[in-house]
Amino acid sequence: MPKLATPLNDTRIKALKPKANRYAVSDGGGLVLEVMASGSKIWRYRYSLHGKQQPVVTIGEYPATSLMAARERARRYAEIVAGGVSPMADAKKDRGAEKSLNTVRDFGAYWTEQQMSDKSDEYRRTTNRALEKDVYPAIGNKPLPDVTPGDVLAICDRIKKRGSPKMALHTRNVIKRMFEYAIARQFVTINPAAAVVARFVATQESRDRVLSPEELGRVLRAVYASSIRRPLKLAIHLLVLTMVRKSELIEARWNEFNLDEGIWRIPAERMKKDREHWVYLAPQAIAMLRELHEGRTSQEYVFPTVRGTDRPIAKSTLNQAIRALDMEVQHFVLHDFRRTASTHLHEMGQSSDAIEKALAHTIKGIKGVYNRAEYADERRRILQLWAEFVDGQIDEGRKVVIGKFGSAA
C-alpha cells in the first residue's frame, strides 16, 4: 500500500529551506510544493492521463497563492483529468487571472497581507495609514522597479511640510521594509528607500507643536471613540487636564492623592527637578480619578499593567494608544499637551507665574523663592478654567459617550 503524504500547513511550508537542488514536498492528491534553490516555493500539480505521466501543471507561487487556494485548484484539475482532459489550459487561464503585483499599490497589498498577520493592531494601522495617506497617492500606480530614491525623498518632504518629521521618517521606514521584502521575493533588485538616509529625513529639533482648540477636541473625541481600554482613555484625558509629564502620571500611586481636598502631591523623587509638586485637581479630574479608584486592580498604582504584576503601565503604552487613533490631526507627541495648555492659558490672559508653577517649572529670581503652596488659589482656578476650556472643545463635535466629568460631577 503506497505511503500517504502528510498534508502541509503554513508552519511546515515556512520552515522549508532551499537546498543546492530543487526538491518537492507532497500535500497529497497530486499537489506538490517545489522548493527552488533560490528559495522560491512553487505549487505544481502532477497527474497522469490515459495511463501516461504528464508534464506538471504550475499553479502559482507560495505565498501569493495560498495553501487553500492551491488545494482548491488541484481538486478542480483532478475533476478535469477524470473527464479525460488535460487541465493545462485551465491552469494558464487561472494564472493569467491572478492579480499582478507589478505596481507599488498591488505589491503593497500583497506585502501587508503576507507580513502583517502576526503584528499588533497598532502596528498594522500605522503601516496601512502611511501607505494609504502618502505612499499610494504619490507612487501607487508606478511599477515597482521604477521607484527611485527621489520618489521616496519627495514623499518624505511633503510629509515634513505638514509639520510631521517623525511621520516622514516612519513612512520612509515602511517603504524600506516593503522593498526589502520585494527584493527577497525577487520582484526588484534595489531598495530605493535605503538610499534615503534617516538623519536627512528627520533631525533632532526642539519641538514647538501646539494643538489648536479644534485639534484638541478632535484628539480627545478620537480617544473616547477608540477601542483602547477605558483606563488608558482616562489617562490621556488626565494628562491634558493636569498638565503633568507622562512619567509623572503613569507612575502615580494612590497614596499621593487626597480626592476630598482635590490635591495630588507628587513626591520629589518622581519629579524632574527633584522638588515635590502639588497638582490642584479640577472637579473633572477628580471624577475621573474616583472612577479609576472604584475599578482599581492595584492597591498601589493608578495605572497598573494588565500583565499580572503590580507595576505601572509601560512608558510606551500611551504613545502606542495615540498612534493607533484614527484622526486627521497632524503628528504630535503627548508632551505637546503641556505646551498646548500653557499657550492657550497665556492667550486667555492668565498669570504667567501661576502657569509656570502649574507646569512645575522653576521661576527664576525672587519669585522663585516662594513655597510650594504659592499661587495655590490661582493655580486651582486656572486648572479649573483649563478643564472647562477642554470640555468646550470636546463638546464642539461630540458624537461619543465620554462620561460626566463636568464641574458638578
Side-chain angles (χ1 to χ4, degrees):
M1 185 174 179
K3 183 179 178 182
L4 295 176
T6 302
L8 293 169
N9 56 48
D10 286 316
T11 301
R12 281 189 62 201
I13 292 172
K14 290 176 181 178
L16 296 174
K17 304 299 181 185
K19 299 178 181 179
N21 297 311
R22 63 184 182 180
Y23 64 97
V25 181
S26 177
D27 183 60
L31 179 64
V32 298
L33 184 66
E34 199 166 281
V35 182
M36 314 301 285
S38 64
S40 298
K41 298 169 184 176
I42 311 295
W43 292 113
R44 316 276 194 195
Y45 176 66
R46 290 177 175 171
Y47 69 104
S48 296
L49 195 60
H50 309 304
K52 293 183 180 181
Q53 189 69 33
Q54 302 294 315
V56 296
V57 171
T58 297
I59 293 177
E61 184 176 358
Y62 179 88
T65 301
S66 69
L67 172 60
M68 295 301 294
R71 283 175 176 167
E72 173 57 27
R73 289 191 195 175
R75 183 198 61 75
R76 185 155 49 84
Y77 297 162
E79 292 178 353
I80 294 172
V81 171
V85 179
S86 168
M88 190 70 73
D90 288 78
K92 287 182 177 179
K93 187 182 298 182
D94 288 336
R95 292 198 305 276
E98 286 182 345
K99 190 176 182 179
S100 169
L101 301 179
N102 184 50
T103 66
V104 171
R105 185 185 297 274
D106 290 339
F107 185 80
Y110 166 64
W111 171 61
T112 53
E113 178 184 351
Q114 300 301 323
Q115 294 294 294
M116 299 294 161
S117 60
D118 60 342
K119 305 297 184 184
S120 68
D121 290 342
E122 185 272 336
Y123 185 92
R124 290 198 298 270
R125 276 193 291 267
T126 55
T127 298
N128 284 323
R129 185 183 302 164
L131 292 170
E132 295 290 346
K133 186 173 183 178
D134 293 299
V135 178
Y136 293 159
I139 58 172
N141 295 326
K142 198 165 190 175
L144 210 62
D146 292 353
V147 178
T148 67
D151 293 327
V152 179
L153 189 59
I155 291 171
C156 293
D157 285 344
R158 278 194 290 272
I159 300 172
K160 286 168 68 177
K161 286 180 180 178
R162 299 202 304 256
S164 306
K166 288 188 177 180
M167 183 56 71
L169 182 57
H170 170 71
T171 302
R172 173 263 189 188
N173 291 340
V174 167
I175 300 171
K176 184 172 180 285
R177 290 195 299 272
M178 181 175 68
F179 271 87
E180 285 171 352
Y181 188 71
I183 290 172
R185 306 308 301 165
Q186 300 181 359
F187 283 89
V188 293
T189 57
I190 296 174
N191 189 332
V196 180
V197 182
R199 68 177 181 273
F200 296 151
V201 176
T203 56
Q204 294 295 324
E205 298 176 351
S206 60
R207 291 187 56 87
D208 57 1
R209 179 76 164 95
V210 173
L211 277 73
S212 69
E214 181 185 9
E215 287 177 325
L216 189 59
R218 198 179 303 157
V219 167
L220 288 172
R221 287 194 298 274
V223 166
Y224 283 103
S226 73
S227 60
I228 63 177
R229 293 188 295 116
R230 175 73 175 179
L232 300 185
K233 295 178 180 181
L234 297 180
I236 295 168
H237 200 161
L238 282 167
L239 200 59
V240 176
L241 298 189
T242 60
M243 298 165 59
V244 299
R245 297 176 180 87
K246 182 182 66 175
S247 62
E248 294 159 6
L249 180 76
I250 65 175
E251 295 173 6
R253 292 169 168 83
W254 284 118
N255 62 12
E256 298 170 1
F257 293 88
N258 185 324
L259 297 182
D260 292 332
E261 293 182 6
I263 297 177
W264 173 17
R265 298 174 177 88
I266 308 176
E269 60 268 23
R270 293 210 305 107
M271 293 299 299
K272 185 176 180 180
K273 301 293 185 181
D274 294 322
R275 295 178 59 184
E276 185 180 52
H277 178 57
W278 290 18
V279 179
Y280 296 90
L281 301 165
Q284 290 92 328
I286 295 172
M288 293 177 201
L289 287 161
R290 290 195 187 281
E291 177 184 332
L292 288 164
H293 192 264
E294 288 174 5
R296 68 190 183 279
T297 57
S298 167
Q299 295 302 312
E300 183 175 4
Y301 294 105
V302 179
F303 299 104
T305 179
V306 294
R307 298 188 178 182
T309 55
D310 199 14
R311 54 183 178 137
I313 58 176
K315 292 182 178 180
S316 61
T317 300
L318 296 185
N319 300 71
Q320 292 171 349
I322 281 289
R323 285 199 296 269
L325 296 179
D326 183 17
M327 58 182 176
E328 287 298 319
V329 176
Q330 291 181 0
H331 183 69
F332 70 97
V333 296
L334 292 173
H335 192 73
D336 295 335
F337 286 150
R338 283 166 55 82
R339 186 182 304 103
T340 296
S342 175
T343 298
H344 292 302
L345 285 169
H346 276 100
E347 289 178 351
M348 294 177 203
Q350 302 306 302
S351 163
S352 180
D353 289 341
I355 294 170
E356 292 302 298
K357 282 288 187 181
L359 292 165
H361 287 167
T362 300
I363 299 176
K364 296 180 180 180
I366 190 66
K367 294 180 180 179
V369 179
Y370 297 137
N371 64 41
R372 76 172 77 91
E374 194 65 35
Y375 305 109
D377 291 342
E378 204 162 2
R379 287 162 61 184
R380 192 183 295 276
R381 185 181 61 78
I382 65 171
L383 281 174
Q384 177 59 55
L385 178 65
W386 175 240
E388 292 171 357
F389 177 85
V390 171
D391 279 351
Q393 310 320 308
I394 298 173
D395 288 337
E396 187 67 25
R398 179 181 290 187
K399 294 181 181 179
V400 294
V401 176
I402 291 175
K404 296 181 179 179
F405 301 132
S407 56

Coordinates of all heavy atoms in Angstrom, one line a residue, residues 100-158:
S100 N -1.9 41.1 -10.8 CA -0.5 41.4 -11.0 C 0.1 42.2 -9.8 O -0.6 42.9 -9.1 CB -0.4 42.3 -12.2 OG 0.9 42.9 -12.3
L101 N 1.3 41.9 -9.4 CA 2.0 42.5 -8.3 C 3.0 43.5 -8.8 O 4.0 43.8 -8.1 CB 2.6 41.5 -7.4 CG 1.7 40.4 -6.8 CD1 2.5 39.5 -5.9 CD2 0.6 41.1 -6.0
N102 N 2.8 44.0 -10.0 CA 3.9 44.9 -10.6 C 3.9 46.3 -10.0 O 5.0 46.9 -9.8 CB 3.6 45.0 -12.1 CG 4.8 45.8 -12.8 OD1 5.9 45.5 -12.6 ND2 4.4 46.8 -13.6
T103 N 2.7 46.9 -9.7 CA 2.7 48.2 -9.2 C 2.9 48.3 -7.6 O 2.8 47.3 -6.9 CB 1.4 48.9 -9.5 OG1 0.3 48.3 -8.7 CG2 1.1 48.9 -11.0
V104 N 3.3 49.5 -7.2 CA 3.5 49.7 -5.7 C 2.3 49.3 -4.9 O 2.3 48.7 -3.9 CB 4.0 51.1 -5.5 CG1 4.0 51.4 -4.0 CG2 5.4 51.4 -6.1
R105 N 1.1 49.8 -5.4 CA -0.1 49.6 -4.7 C -0.4 48.1 -4.6 O -0.8 47.6 -3.5 CB -1.3 50.3 -5.4 CG -2.6 50.2 -4.6 CD -3.7 50.9 -5.4 NE -3.5 52.3 -5.6 CZ -3.8 53.2 -4.8 NH1 -4.4 52.9 -3.6 NH2 -3.6 54.5 -5.0
D106 N -0.3 47.3 -5.7 CA -0.6 45.9 -5.7 C 0.4 45.1 -4.9 O 0.0 44.3 -4.1 CB -0.6 45.4 -7.1 CG -1.8 45.9 -8.0 OD1 -2.8 46.3 -7.4 OD2 -1.7 45.9 -9.2
F107 N 1.6 45.5 -5.0 CA 2.6 44.8 -4.2 C 2.5 45.1 -2.7 O 2.6 44.3 -1.8 CB 4.0 45.1 -4.6 CG 5.1 44.2 -3.9 CD1 5.3 42.9 -4.2 CD2 5.7 44.7 -2.8 CE1 6.2 42.1 -3.5 CE2 6.6 44.0 -2.0 CZ 6.9 42.7 -2.4
G108 N 2.1 46.4 -2.4 CA 1.9 46.8 -1.0 C 0.8 46.0 -0.4 O 0.9 45.6 0.8
A109 N -0.3 45.8 -1.1 CA -1.4 45.0 -0.6 C -1.0 43.6 -0.3 O -1.3 43.0 0.8 CB -2.6 45.0 -1.5
Y110 N -0.2 43.0 -1.2 CA 0.4 41.7 -1.0 C 1.3 41.6 0.2 O 1.2 40.7 1.0 CB 1.1 41.3 -2.3 CG 2.0 40.1 -2.3 CD1 1.4 38.8 -2.0 CD2 3.3 40.2 -2.5 CE1 2.3 37.7 -2.0 CE2 4.2 39.0 -2.5 CZ 3.6 37.8 -2.2 OH 4.4 36.7 -2.1
W111 N 2.2 42.6 0.3 CA 3.1 42.6 1.4 C 2.5 42.7 2.7 O 2.8 41.9 3.7 CB 4.1 43.8 1.2 CG 5.0 44.1 2.3 CD1 5.9 43.2 2.9 CD2 5.0 45.3 3.1 NE1 6.6 43.8 3.9 CE2 6.0 45.1 4.1 CE3 4.3 46.5 3.1 CZ2 6.3 46.1 5.1 CZ3 4.6 47.5 4.0 CH2 5.6 47.2 5.0
T112 N 1.5 43.6 2.9 CA 0.8 43.7 4.2 C 0.0 42.4 4.5 O 0.0 42.0 5.7 CB -0.2 44.9 4.2 OG1 -1.0 44.8 3.1 CG2 0.6 46.2 4.1
E113 N -0.5 41.8 3.5 CA -1.3 40.6 3.7 C -0.4 39.4 4.2 O -0.7 38.7 5.2 CB -2.0 40.1 2.5 CG -2.7 38.8 2.6 CD -3.3 38.3 1.3 OE1 -3.3 39.1 0.3 OE2 -3.8 37.2 1.3
Q114 N 0.8 39.4 3.6 CA 1.7 38.3 4.0 C 2.6 38.5 5.2 O 2.9 37.6 5.9 CB 2.7 38.0 2.8 CG 2.0 37.6 1.5 CD 1.2 36.4 1.7 OE1 1.6 35.5 2.4 NE2 0.1 36.3 1.0
Q115 N 2.9 39.8 5.5 CA 3.8 40.1 6.6 C 3.2 40.7 7.8 O 3.9 40.9 8.8 CB 4.9 41.1 6.0 CG 5.8 40.5 5.0 CD 6.6 39.3 5.5 OE1 7.5 39.6 6.3 NE2 6.4 38.1 5.1
M116 N 1.9 41.1 7.8 CA 1.4 41.8 8.9 C 0.5 41.0 9.8 O 0.0 41.5 10.9 CB 0.6 43.1 8.5 CG 1.4 44.1 7.7 SD 2.6 44.9 8.7 CE 3.7 45.5 7.4
S117 N 0.2 39.7 9.4 CA -0.8 38.9 10.2 C -0.4 38.7 11.6 O -1.2 38.6 12.5 CB -1.0 37.6 9.5 OG 0.3 36.9 9.4
D118 N 1.0 38.7 11.9 CA 1.4 38.4 13.3 C 1.8 39.7 14.0 O 2.4 39.6 15.1 CB 2.6 37.4 13.3 CG 3.8 37.9 12.5 OD1 3.6 38.9 11.7 OD2 4.9 37.4 12.7
K119 N 1.5 40.8 13.4 CA 1.9 42.1 14.1 C 0.7 42.6 14.9 O -0.4 42.2 14.8 CB 2.2 43.1 13.0 CG 3.3 42.7 12.0 CD 4.6 42.5 12.7 CE 5.7 42.2 11.7 NZ 7.0 41.9 12.4
S120 N 1.0 43.6 15.8 CA -0.1 44.1 16.6 C -1.0 45.0 15.8 O -0.7 45.4 14.7 CB 0.6 45.0 17.7 OG 1.1 46.2 17.1
D121 N -2.2 45.2 16.3 CA -3.2 46.0 15.6 C -2.7 47.4 15.4 O -2.9 48.0 14.3 CB -4.5 46.1 16.4 CG -5.3 44.8 16.5 OD1 -5.0 43.9 15.6 OD2 -6.1 44.6 17.4
E122 N -2.0 48.0 16.4 CA -1.4 49.3 16.3 C -0.4 49.4 15.2 O -0.4 50.3 14.4 CB -0.8 49.7 17.6 CG -0.3 51.2 17.7 CD 1.1 51.3 17.2 OE1 1.8 50.3 17.3 OE2 1.5 52.4 16.8
Y123 N 0.4 48.4 15.1 CA 1.5 48.3 14.0 C 0.9 48.3 12.6 O 1.3 49.0 11.7 CB 2.4 47.1 14.3 CG 3.6 47.0 13.3 CD1 4.8 47.6 13.7 CD2 3.5 46.4 12.1 CE1 5.9 47.5 12.9 CE2 4.6 46.3 11.3 CZ 5.8 46.8 11.6 OH 6.9 46.8 10.8
R124 N -0.2 47.4 12.5 CA -0.8 47.3 11.2 C -1.5 48.6 10.8 O -1.5 49.0 9.6 CB -1.8 46.2 11.2 CG -1.2 44.8 11.3 CD -2.2 43.7 10.8 NE -3.4 43.7 11.7 CZ -3.4 42.9 12.8 NH1 -2.4 42.2 13.2 NH2 -4.5 42.9 13.6
R125 N -2.1 49.3 11.8 CA -2.8 50.5 11.5 C -1.9 51.6 11.0 O -2.1 52.3 10.1 CB -3.7 51.0 12.7 CG -5.0 50.3 12.8 CD -5.9 51.0 13.8 NE -5.4 50.9 15.2 CZ -5.8 49.9 16.0 NH1 -6.7 49.1 15.6 NH2 -5.3 49.8 17.2
T126 N -0.8 51.8 11.8 CA 0.1 52.8 11.4 C 0.8 52.6 10.1 O 1.1 53.5 9.3 CB 1.2 53.0 12.5 OG1 1.9 51.8 12.8 CG2 0.6 53.5 13.8
T127 N 1.1 51.3 9.8 CA 1.7 51.0 8.5 C 0.7 51.2 7.4 O 1.1 51.9 6.4 CB 2.1 49.5 8.5 OG1 3.1 49.3 9.5 CG2 2.7 49.1 7.1
N128 N -0.5 50.8 7.5 CA -1.5 51.0 6.4 C -1.8 52.5 6.3 O -2.1 52.9 5.1 CB -2.8 50.2 6.7 CG -2.6 48.7 6.5 OD1 -2.0 48.3 5.5 ND2 -3.2 47.9 7.3
R129 N -1.8 53.2 7.4 CA -2.1 54.7 7.3 C -1.0 55.3 6.4 O -1.3 56.2 5.6 CB -2.1 55.3 8.7 CG -2.6 56.7 8.7 CD -2.5 57.3 10.1 NE -3.4 56.6 10.9 CZ -3.4 56.7 12.3 NH1 -2.5 57.4 12.9 NH2 -4.2 56.0 13.0
A130 N 0.3 55.0 6.7 CA 1.3 55.6 5.9 C 1.2 55.3 4.4 O 1.4 56.1 3.5 CB 2.7 55.1 6.4
L131 N 0.8 54.0 4.1 CA 0.7 53.6 2.7 C -0.5 54.3 2.0 O -0.4 54.9 1.0 CB 0.5 52.1 2.6 CG 1.7 51.2 3.0 CD1 1.3 49.8 3.1 CD2 2.8 51.4 1.9
E132 N -1.6 54.3 2.7 CA -2.9 54.9 2.1 C -2.8 56.4 2.0 O -3.3 57.0 1.0 CB -4.1 54.4 2.9 CG -4.4 53.0 2.9 CD -4.8 52.4 1.5 OE1 -5.2 53.3 0.7 OE2 -4.8 51.2 1.3
K133 N -2.2 57.1 3.0 CA -2.3 58.5 3.1 C -1.2 59.2 2.2 O -1.4 60.2 1.6 CB -2.1 59.0 4.5 CG -2.3 60.5 4.7 CD -2.3 60.9 6.1 CE -2.6 62.4 6.3 NZ -2.7 62.8 7.7
D134 N 0.0 58.6 2.1 CA 1.1 59.2 1.5 C 1.8 58.5 0.4 O 2.2 59.0 -0.6 CB 2.2 59.6 2.5 CG 1.6 60.7 3.5 OD1 1.3 61.8 3.0 OD2 1.5 60.4 4.7
V135 N 1.9 57.1 0.5 CA 2.7 56.4 -0.5 C 1.9 56.1 -1.7 O 2.3 56.4 -2.8 CB 3.2 55.0 0.2 CG1 3.9 54.2 -0.9 CG2 4.1 55.3 1.3
Y136 N 0.7 55.5 -1.6 CA -0.1 55.2 -2.7 C -0.5 56.4 -3.6 O -0.5 56.4 -4.8 CB -1.3 54.4 -2.3 CG -1.0 53.0 -1.8 CD1 -2.0 52.4 -1.0 CD2 0.2 52.4 -2.0 CE1 -1.7 51.1 -0.4 CE2 0.4 51.1 -1.5 CZ -0.5 50.5 -0.7 OH -0.2 49.2 -0.2
P137 N -0.9 57.5 -2.9 CA -1.3 58.7 -3.8 C -0.1 59.2 -4.6 O -0.3 59.7 -5.7 CB -1.7 59.7 -2.7 CG -2.2 59.0 -1.6 CD -1.3 57.8 -1.5
A138 N 1.1 59.0 -4.1 CA 2.3 59.5 -4.9 C 2.8 58.5 -5.9 O 3.1 58.9 -7.0 CB 3.4 59.9 -3.9
I139 N 2.9 57.3 -5.5 CA 3.6 56.3 -6.4 C 2.8 55.0 -6.5 O 3.4 54.0 -7.0 CB 5.1 56.0 -5.9 CG1 5.1 55.5 -4.5 CG2 5.9 57.2 -6.0 CD1 6.4 55.0 -4.0
G140 N 1.6 55.0 -6.1 CA 0.8 53.7 -6.1 C 0.7 53.0 -7.4 O 0.7 51.8 -7.5
N141 N 0.6 53.8 -8.5 CA 0.4 53.2 -9.8 C 1.8 53.0 -10.6 O 1.8 52.6 -11.7 CB -0.5 54.1 -10.7 CG -1.9 54.2 -10.1 OD1 -2.4 53.2 -9.6 ND2 -2.5 55.3 -10.2
K142 N 2.9 53.3 -9.9 CA 4.2 53.2 -10.5 C 4.7 51.8 -10.5 O 4.6 51.1 -9.4 CB 5.2 54.2 -9.8 CG 6.4 54.5 -10.6 CD 7.1 55.7 -10.0 CE 8.3 56.1 -10.9 NZ 8.9 57.3 -10.4
P143 N 5.3 51.3 -11.5 CA 5.9 49.9 -11.5 C 6.9 49.9 -10.4 O 7.7 50.8 -10.2 CB 6.5 49.7 -12.9 CG 5.7 50.6 -13.7 CD 5.4 51.8 -12.9
L144 N 6.9 48.8 -9.7 CA 7.8 48.6 -8.5 C 9.3 48.9 -8.9 O 10.0 49.6 -8.1 CB 7.7 47.2 -7.9 CG 7.9 47.0 -6.4 CD1 6.9 47.8 -5.6 CD2 7.8 45.5 -6.1
P145 N 9.8 48.4 -10.0 CA 11.2 48.6 -10.3 C 11.6 50.1 -10.7 O 12.7 50.4 -10.7 CB 11.5 47.7 -11.4 CG 10.4 46.7 -11.4 CD 9.2 47.4 -10.9
D146 N 10.5 50.9 -11.0 CA 10.8 52.2 -11.4 C 10.8 53.3 -10.3 O 11.1 54.4 -10.5 CB 9.6 52.7 -12.4 CG 9.7 51.9 -13.7 OD1 10.7 51.1 -13.9 OD2 8.8 52.0 -14.5
V147 N 10.6 52.8 -9.1 CA 10.6 53.8 -7.9 C 12.1 54.1 -7.6 O 12.9 53.3 -7.5 CB 10.0 53.1 -6.7 CG1 10.1 54.1 -5.5 CG2 8.5 52.8 -7.0
T148 N 12.3 55.4 -7.5 CA 13.7 55.9 -7.2 C 13.8 56.5 -5.8 O 12.8 56.8 -5.2 CB 14.0 57.0 -8.3 OG1 13.2 58.2 -8.0 CG2 13.8 56.5 -9.7
P149 N 15.1 56.7 -5.4 CA 15.3 57.4 -4.1 C 14.6 58.8 -4.1 O 14.1 59.3 -3.1 CB 16.8 57.5 -4.0 CG 17.3 56.3 -4.7 CD 16.3 56.2 -5.9
G150 N 14.6 59.4 -5.3 CA 14.0 60.8 -5.4 C 12.5 60.7 -5.1 O 11.9 61.6 -4.5
D151 N 11.8 59.6 -5.5 CA 10.4 59.5 -5.2 C 10.2 59.4 -3.7 O 9.3 60.0 -3.2 CB 9.9 58.2 -5.9 CG 9.8 58.3 -7.4 OD1 9.6 59.4 -7.9 OD2 10.0 57.2 -8.0
V152 N 11.0 58.6 -3.1 CA 10.9 58.4 -1.6 C 11.2 59.7 -0.9 O 10.4 60.1 0.0 CB 11.9 57.3 -1.1 CG1 11.7 57.1 0.4 CG2 11.6 56.0 -1.8
L153 N 12.2 60.4 -1.3 CA 12.5 61.7 -0.7 C 11.4 62.7 -0.8 O 11.1 63.5 0.1 CB 13.8 62.2 -1.2 CG 14.4 63.4 -0.5 CD1 14.7 63.1 0.9 CD2 15.7 63.9 -1.2
A154 N 10.8 62.7 -2.0 CA 9.7 63.7 -2.3 C 8.5 63.4 -1.4 O 7.9 64.3 -0.9 CB 9.3 63.6 -3.8
I155 N 8.2 62.1 -1.1 CA 7.1 61.8 -0.2 C 7.4 62.3 1.2 O 6.6 62.9 1.9 CB 6.9 60.2 -0.2 CG1 6.4 59.8 -1.6 CG2 6.0 59.8 0.9 CD1 6.3 58.3 -1.7
C156 N 8.7 62.0 1.6 CA 9.1 62.5 3.0 C 9.0 64.0 3.1 O 8.6 64.5 4.1 CB 10.5 61.9 3.3 SG 10.6 60.1 3.4
D157 N 9.5 64.7 2.1 CA 9.5 66.1 2.1 C 8.1 66.7 2.2 O 7.8 67.7 2.9 CB 10.2 66.7 0.8 CG 11.7 66.6 0.9 OD1 12.2 66.3 2.0 OD2 12.3 66.7 -0.2
R158 N 7.1 66.1 1.5 CA 5.7 66.5 1.6 C 5.2 66.3 3.0 O 4.4 67.2 3.5 CB 4.8 65.8 0.6 CG 4.9 66.3 -0.8 CD 3.8 65.8 -1.7 NE 4.0 64.4 -2.0 CZ 4.8 63.9 -3.0 NH1 5.4 64.7 -3.8 NH2 4.9 62.6 -3.2

